[in-house]
Amino acid sequence: MPAPAVPFPKPTLLQLRPFRAVRYDADRVGDPSELIAPPYDDLDPARVRKLRRHPHHVARLLYSEAPQGAARELGRWLRRGVLRRDERPALYAYQQQRGARILQRGLIGDLLLPHQAGKLLSHEDVSAHVVRQRAAHMSGLHAQLEPLLLAHRGTESTTAQLVDHVTRRKPVTVARIGQITHMLWVCDDPAELALLARGLSAGQALIADGHHRHAACLQLSGDAAGPWASSLALLVDTATYPLRLSAIHRVLSALDPEKAARTAAEVARVLPLPGGPRPPEAGELILTGGGQAWSITDPDPRALREALADHPNQWAQLPAAVSDHLLLRHAWSVPDLPGAVTYLHDIRQATAAVSASGRGSALLLPVISQDTVWELAGAGVLLPRKSTSFGPKPTAGLAMRVLGLS
Protein backbone atom coordinates (compact mmCIF):
# COMPACT_ATOMS: atom_id res chain seq x y z
CA MET A 1 0.00 0.00 0.00
CA PRO A 2 1.58 3.31 -1.00
CA ALA A 3 2.42 5.80 1.73
CA PRO A 4 0.07 8.76 1.92
CA ALA A 5 1.31 11.84 0.14
CA VAL A 6 2.85 14.46 2.42
CA PRO A 7 1.77 17.94 1.33
CA PHE A 8 4.52 20.47 0.78
CA PRO A 9 4.43 23.24 3.38
CA LYS A 10 3.11 26.52 2.13
CA PRO A 11 5.75 29.21 1.80
CA THR A 12 5.92 31.49 4.82
CA LEU A 13 5.05 35.09 4.06
CA LEU A 14 6.79 38.00 5.69
CA GLN A 15 4.85 39.10 8.76
CA LEU A 16 4.48 42.86 9.22
CA ARG A 17 2.54 43.08 12.46
CA PRO A 18 0.61 45.93 14.10
CA PHE A 19 2.31 47.61 17.07
CA ARG A 20 1.70 50.58 19.36
CA ALA A 21 3.98 53.29 18.05
CA VAL A 22 5.44 56.03 20.23
CA ARG A 23 5.02 59.45 18.59
CA TYR A 24 5.54 63.09 19.45
CA ASP A 25 2.43 64.75 20.87
CA ALA A 26 2.05 67.84 18.67
CA ASP A 27 -0.40 69.36 21.18
CA ARG A 28 2.39 69.39 23.76
CA VAL A 29 5.53 70.06 21.71
CA GLY A 30 4.32 71.82 18.57
CA ASP A 31 5.45 71.14 15.02
CA PRO A 32 7.18 67.73 14.84
CA SER A 33 9.25 69.07 11.95
CA GLU A 34 11.44 70.66 14.64
CA LEU A 35 11.93 67.34 16.44
CA ILE A 36 12.41 64.53 13.92
CA ALA A 37 15.64 63.87 12.04
CA PRO A 38 16.91 62.69 8.67
CA PRO A 39 18.23 59.11 8.56
CA TYR A 40 21.20 58.34 10.83
CA ASP A 41 23.90 58.40 8.15
CA ASP A 42 22.68 61.61 6.49
CA LEU A 43 23.84 64.10 9.12
CA ASP A 44 27.32 65.48 9.68
CA PRO A 45 28.62 66.07 13.24
CA ALA A 46 28.08 69.85 13.15
CA ARG A 47 24.42 69.40 12.17
CA VAL A 48 23.96 66.76 14.90
CA ARG A 49 25.35 69.13 17.54
CA LYS A 50 22.94 71.85 16.44
CA LEU A 51 19.89 69.56 16.53
CA ARG A 52 20.81 68.16 19.95
CA ARG A 53 20.49 71.63 21.49
CA HIS A 54 16.72 71.27 21.36
CA PRO A 55 15.67 69.64 24.67
CA HIS A 56 13.34 67.16 22.97
CA HIS A 57 14.92 66.52 19.56
CA VAL A 58 15.17 62.86 18.58
CA ALA A 59 18.84 63.47 17.73
CA ARG A 60 19.48 63.51 21.50
CA LEU A 61 18.51 59.82 21.49
CA LEU A 62 19.72 58.80 18.06
CA TYR A 63 23.28 60.06 18.42
CA SER A 64 23.80 59.50 22.15
CA GLU A 65 27.13 57.94 23.15
CA ALA A 66 25.52 56.79 26.41
CA PRO A 67 22.41 54.83 25.37
CA GLN A 68 21.39 54.00 28.94
CA GLY A 69 21.31 57.72 29.70
CA ALA A 70 19.33 58.30 26.50
CA ALA A 71 16.89 55.61 27.64
CA ARG A 72 16.31 57.53 30.87
CA GLU A 73 15.73 60.71 28.87
CA LEU A 74 13.28 58.84 26.64
CA GLY A 75 11.45 57.66 29.76
CA ARG A 76 11.20 61.25 31.03
CA TRP A 77 9.73 62.40 27.71
CA LEU A 78 7.09 59.69 27.95
CA ARG A 79 6.20 60.57 31.55
CA ARG A 80 5.95 64.29 30.72
CA GLY A 81 3.77 63.71 27.65
CA VAL A 82 6.36 64.89 25.12
CA LEU A 83 5.94 61.46 23.58
CA ARG A 84 2.88 59.27 23.80
CA ARG A 85 2.17 55.68 22.92
CA ASP A 86 -0.81 54.95 20.70
CA GLU A 87 -3.71 53.27 22.48
CA ARG A 88 -4.17 50.41 20.04
CA PRO A 89 -1.83 48.34 17.86
CA ALA A 90 -1.74 49.65 14.32
CA LEU A 91 0.02 49.58 11.01
CA TYR A 92 1.04 53.04 9.81
CA ALA A 93 0.71 54.28 6.25
CA TYR A 94 3.71 56.52 5.56
CA GLN A 95 4.21 58.87 2.64
CA GLN A 96 7.00 61.15 1.48
CA GLN A 97 6.37 63.77 -1.16
CA ARG A 98 8.04 66.78 -2.74
CA GLY A 99 5.48 69.36 -3.71
CA ALA A 100 2.61 67.50 -5.36
CA ARG A 101 4.79 64.53 -6.34
CA ILE A 102 4.53 61.41 -4.18
CA LEU A 103 8.03 59.96 -3.84
CA GLN A 104 7.21 56.95 -1.73
CA ARG A 105 4.35 55.29 0.08
CA GLY A 106 4.48 52.22 2.30
CA LEU A 107 3.52 50.59 5.58
CA ILE A 108 5.39 50.81 8.89
CA GLY A 109 4.98 47.90 11.27
CA ASP A 110 6.74 45.36 13.46
CA LEU A 111 8.44 42.86 11.16
CA LEU A 112 9.03 39.37 12.50
CA LEU A 113 12.57 38.71 11.29
CA PRO A 114 12.63 35.49 9.28
CA HIS A 115 15.43 32.99 9.87
CA GLN A 116 14.43 31.12 6.72
CA ALA A 117 16.94 31.80 3.96
CA GLY A 118 15.71 33.77 0.99
CA LYS A 119 12.87 35.62 2.72
CA LEU A 120 14.62 38.83 3.70
CA LEU A 121 17.46 39.48 1.30
CA SER A 122 20.55 41.40 2.31
CA HIS A 123 22.33 42.98 -0.62
CA GLU A 124 25.29 44.65 1.08
CA ASP A 125 28.07 43.53 3.39
CA VAL A 126 28.31 44.96 6.91
CA SER A 127 31.10 46.02 9.23
CA ALA A 128 31.28 43.90 12.39
CA HIS A 129 32.44 46.96 14.32
CA VAL A 130 29.42 49.02 13.23
CA VAL A 131 27.04 46.12 13.97
CA ARG A 132 28.38 45.96 17.54
CA GLN A 133 27.91 49.72 17.90
CA ARG A 134 24.32 49.56 16.63
CA ALA A 135 23.51 46.57 18.84
CA ALA A 136 24.88 48.30 21.94
CA HIS A 137 22.90 51.46 21.19
CA MET A 138 19.63 49.66 20.46
CA SER A 139 19.97 47.38 23.49
CA GLY A 140 20.83 50.26 25.83
CA LEU A 141 18.11 52.53 24.50
CA HIS A 142 15.61 49.65 24.36
CA ALA A 143 14.02 51.28 21.35
CA GLN A 144 14.15 51.67 17.58
CA LEU A 145 13.85 55.23 16.34
CA GLU A 146 13.90 54.63 12.56
CA PRO A 147 12.60 51.69 10.55
CA LEU A 148 14.44 49.39 8.20
CA LEU A 149 13.61 50.25 4.59
CA LEU A 150 12.41 47.11 2.81
CA ALA A 151 11.54 46.78 -0.87
CA HIS A 152 9.18 44.16 -2.23
CA ARG A 153 7.56 43.61 -5.58
CA GLY A 154 3.87 43.19 -4.94
CA THR A 155 1.50 41.12 -7.04
CA GLU A 156 -1.71 41.87 -5.12
CA SER A 157 -3.53 45.18 -5.42
CA THR A 158 -5.45 44.86 -2.12
CA THR A 159 -2.83 46.56 0.02
CA ALA A 160 -2.18 49.37 -2.46
CA GLN A 161 -5.90 50.06 -2.78
CA LEU A 162 -6.43 50.10 0.98
CA VAL A 163 -3.40 52.31 1.62
CA ASP A 164 -4.67 54.67 -1.08
CA HIS A 165 -8.03 54.75 0.72
CA VAL A 166 -6.38 55.38 4.12
CA THR A 167 -4.26 58.24 2.79
CA ARG A 168 -7.40 60.14 1.76
CA ARG A 169 -8.09 60.67 5.45
CA LYS A 170 -6.50 63.39 7.52
CA PRO A 171 -2.97 62.33 8.55
CA VAL A 172 -2.11 62.07 12.25
CA THR A 173 1.31 63.60 11.66
CA VAL A 174 2.67 66.00 9.03
CA ALA A 175 6.28 67.09 9.18
CA ARG A 176 8.69 68.69 6.77
CA ILE A 177 12.45 68.26 6.47
CA GLY A 178 14.01 70.31 3.72
CA GLN A 179 11.88 69.91 0.60
CA ILE A 180 10.31 66.62 1.71
CA THR A 181 6.94 66.42 3.47
CA HIS A 182 6.42 63.35 5.66
CA MET A 183 2.87 62.15 6.44
CA LEU A 184 1.63 59.39 8.72
CA TRP A 185 -1.78 57.71 8.96
CA VAL A 186 -2.92 55.19 11.58
CA CYS A 187 -4.56 51.93 10.46
CA ASP A 188 -5.97 50.41 13.67
CA ASP A 189 -9.44 49.38 12.53
CA PRO A 190 -9.72 45.58 12.86
CA ALA A 191 -11.36 45.25 9.44
CA GLU A 192 -8.61 47.29 7.78
CA LEU A 193 -5.91 45.32 9.56
CA ALA A 194 -7.49 42.05 8.45
CA LEU A 195 -7.51 43.24 4.83
CA LEU A 196 -3.91 44.40 5.08
CA ALA A 197 -2.85 41.06 6.57
CA ARG A 198 -4.43 39.24 3.63
CA GLY A 199 -3.08 41.70 1.08
CA LEU A 200 0.51 41.71 2.32
CA SER A 201 1.60 38.98 -0.04
CA ALA A 202 5.31 39.72 0.07
CA GLY A 203 7.03 36.37 0.21
CA GLN A 204 10.39 38.04 -0.19
CA ALA A 205 11.78 41.49 0.49
CA LEU A 206 15.09 43.24 -0.03
CA ILE A 207 16.76 45.29 2.69
CA ALA A 208 17.15 48.59 0.86
CA ASP A 209 18.53 50.43 3.89
CA GLY A 210 19.37 49.35 7.44
CA HIS A 211 21.72 46.38 6.99
CA HIS A 212 23.67 47.16 10.18
CA ARG A 213 20.49 47.59 12.24
CA HIS A 214 19.10 44.32 10.85
CA ALA A 215 22.35 42.53 11.69
CA ALA A 216 22.27 44.11 15.16
CA CYS A 217 18.75 42.73 15.75
CA LEU A 218 19.90 39.26 14.73
CA GLN A 219 22.92 39.56 17.03
CA LEU A 220 20.74 40.62 19.96
CA SER A 221 18.07 37.97 19.39
CA GLY A 222 20.22 34.95 18.54
CA ASP A 223 17.89 32.01 17.95
CA ALA A 224 15.63 32.79 20.90
CA ALA A 225 12.32 34.57 20.79
CA GLY A 226 12.37 38.00 22.40
CA PRO A 227 11.97 41.70 21.67
CA TRP A 228 14.75 41.68 19.07
CA ALA A 229 13.26 38.79 17.10
CA SER A 230 11.37 41.52 15.26
CA SER A 231 12.23 44.98 13.98
CA LEU A 232 10.60 48.26 13.15
CA ALA A 233 10.29 48.24 9.35
CA LEU A 234 8.87 50.21 6.43
CA LEU A 235 7.69 47.93 3.63
CA VAL A 236 7.44 49.62 0.22
CA ASP A 237 5.88 47.96 -2.82
CA THR A 238 8.34 49.03 -5.51
CA ALA A 239 6.01 47.86 -8.27
CA THR A 240 3.81 50.82 -7.30
CA TYR A 241 6.37 53.20 -5.80
CA PRO A 242 9.84 52.47 -7.17
CA LEU A 243 12.71 53.47 -4.93
CA ARG A 244 15.52 55.61 -6.31
CA LEU A 245 18.93 53.97 -6.47
CA SER A 246 22.11 56.01 -6.52
CA ALA A 247 25.82 55.39 -6.07
CA ILE A 248 27.90 56.30 -3.02
CA HIS A 249 31.08 58.23 -3.71
CA ARG A 250 34.45 58.15 -1.92
CA VAL A 251 36.36 61.18 -0.64
CA LEU A 252 39.97 60.62 0.46
CA SER A 253 41.28 63.77 2.10
CA ALA A 254 44.88 62.50 2.39
CA LEU A 255 45.27 61.21 -1.18
CA ASP A 256 47.07 63.43 -3.72
CA PRO A 257 45.03 63.28 -6.97
CA GLU A 258 47.96 63.45 -9.42
CA LYS A 259 49.80 60.68 -7.60
CA ALA A 260 46.57 58.67 -7.44
CA ALA A 261 46.10 59.03 -11.21
CA ARG A 262 49.67 57.87 -11.93
CA THR A 263 49.32 54.86 -9.64
CA ALA A 264 45.90 53.96 -11.01
CA ALA A 265 47.40 53.89 -14.52
CA GLU A 266 49.43 50.84 -13.44
CA VAL A 267 46.26 48.77 -12.98
CA ALA A 268 43.70 50.39 -15.31
CA ARG A 269 43.24 52.74 -18.25
CA VAL A 270 43.43 56.36 -17.07
CA LEU A 271 42.58 59.32 -19.32
CA PRO A 272 42.51 63.01 -18.34
CA LEU A 273 39.22 64.89 -18.58
CA PRO A 274 40.01 68.45 -19.70
CA GLY A 275 36.42 69.50 -19.07
CA GLY A 276 36.60 68.52 -15.41
CA PRO A 277 34.60 65.93 -13.45
CA ARG A 278 31.28 64.59 -14.71
CA PRO A 279 28.95 61.74 -13.70
CA PRO A 280 30.65 58.43 -14.54
CA GLU A 281 29.23 56.12 -17.18
CA ALA A 282 28.73 52.39 -16.72
CA GLY A 283 32.08 50.65 -16.31
CA GLU A 284 33.82 53.91 -15.45
CA LEU A 285 35.13 55.64 -12.33
CA ILE A 286 35.95 59.36 -12.21
CA LEU A 287 38.89 60.57 -10.11
CA THR A 288 38.94 64.28 -9.30
CA GLY A 289 40.89 66.71 -7.15
CA GLY A 290 43.21 69.69 -7.41
CA GLY A 291 41.11 71.17 -10.20
CA GLN A 292 41.68 68.11 -12.42
CA ALA A 293 39.76 64.97 -13.34
CA TRP A 294 40.50 61.57 -14.89
CA SER A 295 38.42 58.73 -16.32
CA ILE A 296 39.36 55.25 -15.05
CA THR A 297 38.21 52.25 -17.10
CA ASP A 298 39.28 48.76 -18.24
CA PRO A 299 40.89 47.35 -15.08
CA ASP A 300 43.83 45.02 -15.73
CA PRO A 301 42.31 41.51 -15.44
CA ARG A 302 45.29 40.04 -13.60
CA ALA A 303 45.47 42.87 -11.07
CA LEU A 304 41.70 42.72 -10.57
CA ARG A 305 41.80 38.95 -9.94
CA GLU A 306 44.54 39.46 -7.38
CA ALA A 307 42.66 42.26 -5.63
CA LEU A 308 39.44 40.21 -5.50
CA ALA A 309 41.00 36.83 -4.81
CA ASP A 310 38.86 36.17 -1.73
CA HIS A 311 35.60 37.52 -3.11
CA PRO A 312 32.83 36.30 -5.45
CA ASN A 313 33.51 36.32 -9.19
CA GLN A 314 30.55 38.67 -9.72
CA TRP A 315 32.42 41.43 -7.88
CA ALA A 316 34.66 41.99 -10.90
CA GLN A 317 31.74 43.82 -12.56
CA LEU A 318 30.86 45.98 -9.55
CA PRO A 319 32.08 49.59 -9.35
CA ALA A 320 32.52 49.55 -5.56
CA ALA A 321 34.67 46.42 -5.74
CA VAL A 322 36.94 47.98 -8.36
CA SER A 323 37.00 51.21 -6.35
CA ASP A 324 37.65 49.81 -2.90
CA HIS A 325 39.73 46.73 -3.60
CA LEU A 326 41.66 47.38 -6.81
CA LEU A 327 42.26 51.11 -6.29
CA LEU A 328 41.94 52.01 -2.60
CA ARG A 329 43.51 48.86 -1.14
CA HIS A 330 45.68 47.46 -3.94
CA ALA A 331 46.95 50.53 -5.82
CA TRP A 332 46.69 53.35 -3.27
CA SER A 333 47.22 51.41 0.00
CA VAL A 334 44.38 53.26 1.76
CA PRO A 335 43.80 51.50 5.12
CA ASP A 336 40.39 50.01 5.82
CA LEU A 337 40.04 52.05 9.00
CA PRO A 338 37.34 54.42 10.31
CA GLY A 339 37.93 57.93 9.02
CA ALA A 340 40.22 56.98 6.13
CA VAL A 341 37.38 57.41 3.63
CA THR A 342 34.36 59.71 3.72
CA TYR A 343 31.27 58.39 1.92
CA LEU A 344 28.94 60.89 0.25
CA HIS A 345 25.70 60.14 -1.60
CA ASP A 346 25.60 63.39 -3.58
CA ILE A 347 28.06 63.70 -6.47
CA ARG A 348 28.07 67.50 -6.13
CA GLN A 349 29.00 67.27 -2.46
CA ALA A 350 31.79 64.82 -3.25
CA THR A 351 33.36 67.05 -5.89
CA ALA A 352 32.85 70.17 -3.75
CA ALA A 353 34.57 68.50 -0.80
CA VAL A 354 37.89 68.38 -2.65
CA SER A 355 37.36 71.62 -4.55
CA ALA A 356 36.66 73.69 -1.45
CA SER A 357 39.56 72.28 0.57
CA GLY A 358 41.99 72.37 -2.34
CA ARG A 359 43.38 68.99 -1.33
CA GLY A 360 42.47 65.35 -1.38
CA SER A 361 40.75 63.23 -4.01
CA ALA A 362 37.20 62.18 -4.76
CA LEU A 363 36.35 58.94 -6.53
CA LEU A 364 32.94 59.05 -8.24
CA LEU A 365 31.07 55.81 -8.88
CA PRO A 366 28.32 54.97 -11.39
CA VAL A 367 25.00 53.62 -10.24
CA ILE A 368 24.20 49.94 -10.79
CA SER A 369 20.73 48.69 -11.76
CA GLN A 370 18.11 47.53 -9.27
CA ASP A 371 17.77 44.30 -11.24
CA THR A 372 21.46 43.63 -10.62
CA VAL A 373 20.99 44.23 -6.89
CA TRP A 374 18.01 41.84 -6.72
CA GLU A 375 19.74 39.21 -8.87
CA LEU A 376 22.91 39.15 -6.77
CA ALA A 377 21.02 39.28 -3.48
CA GLY A 378 18.86 36.36 -4.59
CA ALA A 379 22.02 34.40 -5.38
CA GLY A 380 23.44 35.16 -1.94
CA VAL A 381 26.13 37.53 -3.25
CA LEU A 382 26.59 40.56 -1.01
CA LEU A 383 27.81 43.79 -2.57
CA PRO A 384 30.81 45.62 -1.12
CA ARG A 385 30.00 47.99 1.70
CA LYS A 386 28.66 51.40 0.65
CA SER A 387 27.82 50.23 -2.88
CA THR A 388 24.34 51.65 -3.20
CA SER A 389 21.97 54.15 -1.70
CA PHE A 390 18.24 53.47 -1.94
CA GLY A 391 15.85 56.30 -1.24
CA PRO A 392 14.04 58.19 -0.16
CA LYS A 393 14.87 56.85 3.30
CA PRO A 394 12.38 57.09 6.16
CA THR A 395 12.89 59.77 8.76
CA ALA A 396 13.80 59.07 12.38
CA GLY A 397 11.40 59.86 15.21
CA LEU A 398 8.11 59.80 13.34
CA ALA A 399 6.83 56.40 14.56
CA MET A 400 9.11 54.75 17.11
CA ARG A 401 9.16 51.27 18.62
CA VAL A 402 9.86 51.42 22.36
CA LEU A 403 10.24 48.14 24.22
CA GLY A 404 9.29 47.32 27.78
CA LEU A 405 6.28 49.63 28.08
CA SER A 406 3.25 48.27 29.91
Side-chain angles (χ1 to χ4, degrees):
M1 181 177 179
V6 178
F8 289 104
K10 294 182 179 179
T12 304
L13 300 180
L14 291 174
Q15 297 182 46
L16 189 70
R17 306 177 300 185
F19 76 111
R20 293 171 63 190
V22 169
R23 301 186 287 114
Y24 280 104
D25 187 340
D27 292 336
R28 294 291 302 272
V29 297
D31 186 359
S33 305
E34 304 298 323
L35 302 169
I36 63 175
Y40 181 89
D41 292 330
D42 286 7
L43 287 180
D44 59 57
R47 178 68 173 154
V48 170
R49 287 192 296 270
K50 182 178 180 181
L51 295 179
R52 283 175 56 85
R53 292 175 191 151
H54 192 294
H56 300 132
H57 201 285
V58 73
R60 296 177 65 88
L61 311 177
L62 190 63
Y63 297 94
S64 173
E65 296 181 359
Q68 287 80 6
R72 291 191 291 272
E73 187 164 25
L74 173 60
R76 289 193 295 271
W77 294 359
L78 283 162
R79 290 191 297 273
R80 295 171 183 172
V82 172
L83 298 173
R84 64 176 178 82
R85 192 185 189 203
D86 286 338
E87 293 292 330
R88 296 191 294 181
L91 292 174
Y92 298 83
Y94 173 58
Q95 178 175 293
Q96 297 184 56
Q97 68 182 65
R98 180 186 289 115
R101 181 190 172 200
I102 297 175
L103 303 177
Q104 178 203 85
R105 185 183 282 172
L107 284 172
I108 295 176
D110 179 37
L111 180 78
L112 184 64
L113 296 176
H115 289 277
Q116 182 182 355
K119 290 297 178 186
L120 188 57
L121 301 177
S122 298
H123 78 270
E124 199 166 275
D125 200 5
V126 296
S127 162
H129 170 69
V130 176
V131 171
R132 288 192 297 270
Q133 285 184 327
R134 296 287 192 274
H137 184 271
M138 289 161 51
S139 177
L141 186 60
H142 220 52
Q144 290 177 291
L145 309 177
E146 56 181 335
L148 306 179
L149 175 58
L150 308 181
H152 80 104
R153 293 168 169 174
T155 57
E156 298 284 345
S157 61
T158 308
T159 301
Q161 290 174 355
L162 182 53
V163 170
D164 181 65
H165 170 73
V166 168
T167 54
R168 295 175 189 173
R169 304 195 295 240
K170 183 180 179 180
V172 295
T173 304
V174 178
R176 185 179 176 89
I177 298 180
Q179 297 181 343
I180 307 299
T181 300
H182 303 262
M183 300 183 187
L184 196 73
W185 292 263
V186 175
C187 304
D188 60 4
D189 179 83
E192 288 183 349
L193 291 175
L195 286 172
L196 287 173
R198 288 200 297 269
L200 281 172
S201 58
Q204 187 181 70
L206 178 81
I207 302 175
D209 184 68
H211 285 84
H212 287 98
R213 284 173 281 135
H214 171 250
C217 282
L218 296 181
Q219 185 179 100
L220 291 169
S221 69
D223 293 327
W228 299 111
S230 63
S231 175
L232 186 65
L234 167 63
L235 190 64
V236 175
D237 180 355
T238 56
T240 306
Y241 294 100
L243 296 174
R244 298 197 313 273
L245 180 60
S246 59
I248 303 178
H249 312 289
R250 281 70 171 140
V251 174
L252 305 102
S253 59
L255 183 65
D256 178 77
E258 291 189 358
K259 181 178 178 181
R262 289 195 302 270
T263 310
E266 298 174 6
V267 296
R269 184 176 185 228
V270 179
L271 296 175
L273 294 175
R278 55 168 172 75
E281 299 176 356
E284 179 185 47
L285 304 173
I286 300 294
L287 172 68
T288 184
Q292 302 180 76
W294 298 264
S295 167
I296 302 176
T297 58
D298 304 312
D300 177 74
R302 182 174 178 179
L304 189 58
R305 282 196 302 271
E306 182 179 344
L308 301 179
D310 298 325
H311 300 285
N313 294 333
Q314 294 95 327
W315 274 31
Q317 305 300 319
L318 298 177
V322 176
S323 161
D324 294 1
H325 294 269
L326 179 63
L327 295 178
L328 270 69
R329 310 284 179 264
H330 183 81
W332 298 336
S333 300
V334 176
D336 187 12
L337 296 173
V341 182
T342 300
Y343 299 94
L344 294 175
H345 298 189
D346 190 300
I347 195 169
R348 292 167 297 182
Q349 291 179 356
T351 54
V354 294
S355 299
S357 66
R359 62 187 181 87
S361 303
L363 192 60
L364 312 179
L365 277 62
V367 66
I368 62 176
S369 73
Q370 296 198 33
D371 286 342
T372 297
V373 175
W374 275 93
E375 180 183 347
L376 293 179
V381 176
L382 298 178
L383 306 184
R385 296 198 303 270
K386 302 294 184 182
S387 287
T388 61
S389 175
F390 279 94
K393 298 177 184 179
T395 189
L398 201 64
M400 296 171 276
R401 178 178 179 244
V402 180
L403 308 177
L405 298 179
S406 58

